[in-house]
Amino acid sequence: MYDICTIGHITLDKVVTAHSVNYMPGGTSFYFSKALRQFDIHYMLVTALAESENHIINSLRDEHIEVFSQNSPYTVYFENIYSANQDHREQNVLHKAAPFTVAQMPAIDAKVFHLGPLLSDDISVDLIKSLASKGLVSLDIQGFLRYVKDKKVYYTDWADKKEALPYISILKANEYEMEVVTGTSNVREGAKYLADLGVREVIITLGSKGSLVYTDNRFYQIPAYKPTSVVDATGCGDTYMAGYLSKKVKGASVQEAGEFGAAMATLKIQSSGPFSGDARMVQDVVRYGESDKELIAQTIY
């Protein structure tokens, strides 16, 4: 029995910022997995990529991350272009990978299955239903709202949301994704809309304004801790969720888990590439940020 099993593609990423152009592996599954490698979590990654990128899998295994990789003709290739405002980005897709299906899933049991689709056809609704019969399903919704036209990434509502969301226990969306799937820009209304469709725990991340969690008819305001510098926001949402779920599977409260995830995201945004810290560093950010917490939380809707 794993604590957490993540399902999602590893990508080849070209990350363009005001400071640099970097080429690196990426995707929800990659950033999430790397963020947990120093933590006391029984963890497994299920992914798919081309044989030519097997060195990425071998590198993860060298860091004692368990990986099941199914074959794919291509590896997903993303180009992420950030302006000076790191809350937003432009994306291009050059290749797509094989989707995940019930038939191809290994026989794995987990307390939480965290789904990180990158594009709308990555993970079938049948697979979501199958996983929900074995454990809690956590979803980063972004991929189900994306479609590719002429290599550009565009966003549209998730056609299968009413069928799939009753099987989702925890859902994470940023404020733009929330508006696409709910039709409202009001964060509280959007969270309630998703809960009414069956989601037990709704997490709306708001970038530098923190995040909001809605569960059991209650809102929790999570602060954003101030970074010493902003270098690269790629993977911040995945890092947040790695921290959040790692705490929740150990029995932490919503507030504690949210603050831990927010602190991890703050550490991650200060450097290029995946989160590379440990739990002690994260707790230091939470502790030192206590004096600013109330002020920052007031900026949340």
Side-chain angles (χ1 to χ4, degrees):
M1 170 69 75
Y2 291 91
D3 291 320
I4 302 173
C5 172
T6 297
I7 302 168
H9 294 110
I10 291 176
T11 70
L12 297 177
D13 277 359
K14 177 182 179 183
V15 180
V16 181
T17 71
H19 304 286
S20 63
V21 177
N22 292 302
Y23 296 87
M24 63 189 73
T28 291
S29 64
F30 180 79
Y31 282 98
F32 192 101
S33 300
K34 295 281 276 189
L36 289 180
R37 67 190 185 279
Q38 299 290 341
F39 291 14
D40 182 24
I41 294 291
H42 193 202
Y43 175 76
M44 186 171 194
L45 166 64
V46 175
T47 191
L49 73 175
E51 186 176 352
S52 56
E53 273 70 61
N54 276 346
H55 63 278
I56 300 173
I57 296 299
N58 293 333
S59 177
L60 291 174
R61 288 173 176 152
D62 287 344
E63 296 184 276
H64 307 291
I65 297 171
E66 290 190 54
V67 184
F68 174 88
S69 179
Q70 67 182 49
N71 293 326
S72 173
Y74 295 101
T75 298
V76 181
Y77 185 12
F78 269 92
E79 182 180 54
N80 299 307
I81 303 172
Y82 290 93
S83 63
N85 178 1
Q86 292 268 307
D87 287 346
H88 302 286
R89 66 185 171 187
E90 174 189 343
Q91 290 187 307
N92 302 313
V93 176
L94 302 184
H95 289 298
K96 296 173 62 175
F100 299 98
T101 64
V102 175
Q104 294 167 312
M105 274 293 295
I108 293 174
D109 290 317
K111 295 176 184 175
V112 177
F113 293 95
H114 181 57
L115 309 184
L118 298 175
L119 298 168
S120 57
D121 55 356
D122 280 358
I123 297 173
S124 68
V125 175
D126 285 344
L127 179 55
I128 293 174
K129 293 178 179 179
S130 174
L131 295 172
S133 70
K134 300 196 294 180
L136 300 180
V137 177
S138 168
L139 170 66
D140 189 322
I141 201 172
Q142 62 177 345
F144 285 133
L145 309 181
R146 289 173 174 160
Y147 71 97
V148 180
K149 181 179 180 181
D150 298 327
K151 298 182 180 180
K152 295 286 186 183
V153 176
Y154 298 92
Y155 282 75
T156 189
D157 195 5
W158 184 15
D160 296 322
K161 66 184 180 186
K162 291 185 178 179
E163 180 182 2
L165 288 179
Y167 297 90
I168 304 299
S169 294
I170 303 170
L171 182 147
K172 191 276 272 186
N174 66 29
E175 54 189 323
Y176 174 71
E177 294 157 357
M178 179 211 69
E179 184 172 357
V180 172
V181 76
T182 68
T184 179
S185 60
N186 184 290
V187 177
R188 290 175 180 264
E189 289 180 5
K192 288 180 178 180
Y193 174 93
L194 292 167
D196 287 344
L197 289 181
V199 180
R200 297 186 207 171
E201 202 164 298
V202 180
I203 302 169
I204 310 298
T205 58
L206 305 166
S208 58
K209 295 178 289 185
S211 56
L212 197 71
V213 183
Y214 181 64
T215 184
D216 293 329
N217 298 311
R218 179 180 174 184
F219 287 99
Y220 296 82
Q221 292 188 332
I222 311 299
Y225 299 104
K226 187 176 181 179
T228 56
S229 62
V230 176
V231 176
D232 177 14
T234 304
C236 277
D238 306 319
T239 303
Y240 176 106
M241 285 303 293
Y244 188 88
L245 292 177
S246 70
K247 282 293 186 181
K248 285 303 294 287
V249 296
K250 298 295 186 180
S253 67
V254 168
Q255 192 71 34
E256 181 185 356
E259 291 178 7
F260 193 84
M264 283 185 65
T266 292
L267 289 169
K268 186 265 158 284
I269 205 172
Q270 294 173 171
S271 62
S272 183
F275 174 83
S276 58
D278 56 29
R280 179 192 57 79
M281 294 171 63
V282 181
Q283 294 292 5
D284 284 346
V285 172
V286 175
R287 185 168 62 253
Y288 296 148
E290 285 294 317
S291 60
D292 295 329
K293 185 196 300 186
E294 183 178 354
L295 176 63
I296 296 171
Q298 287 176 358
T299 67
I300 301 177
Y301 295 88

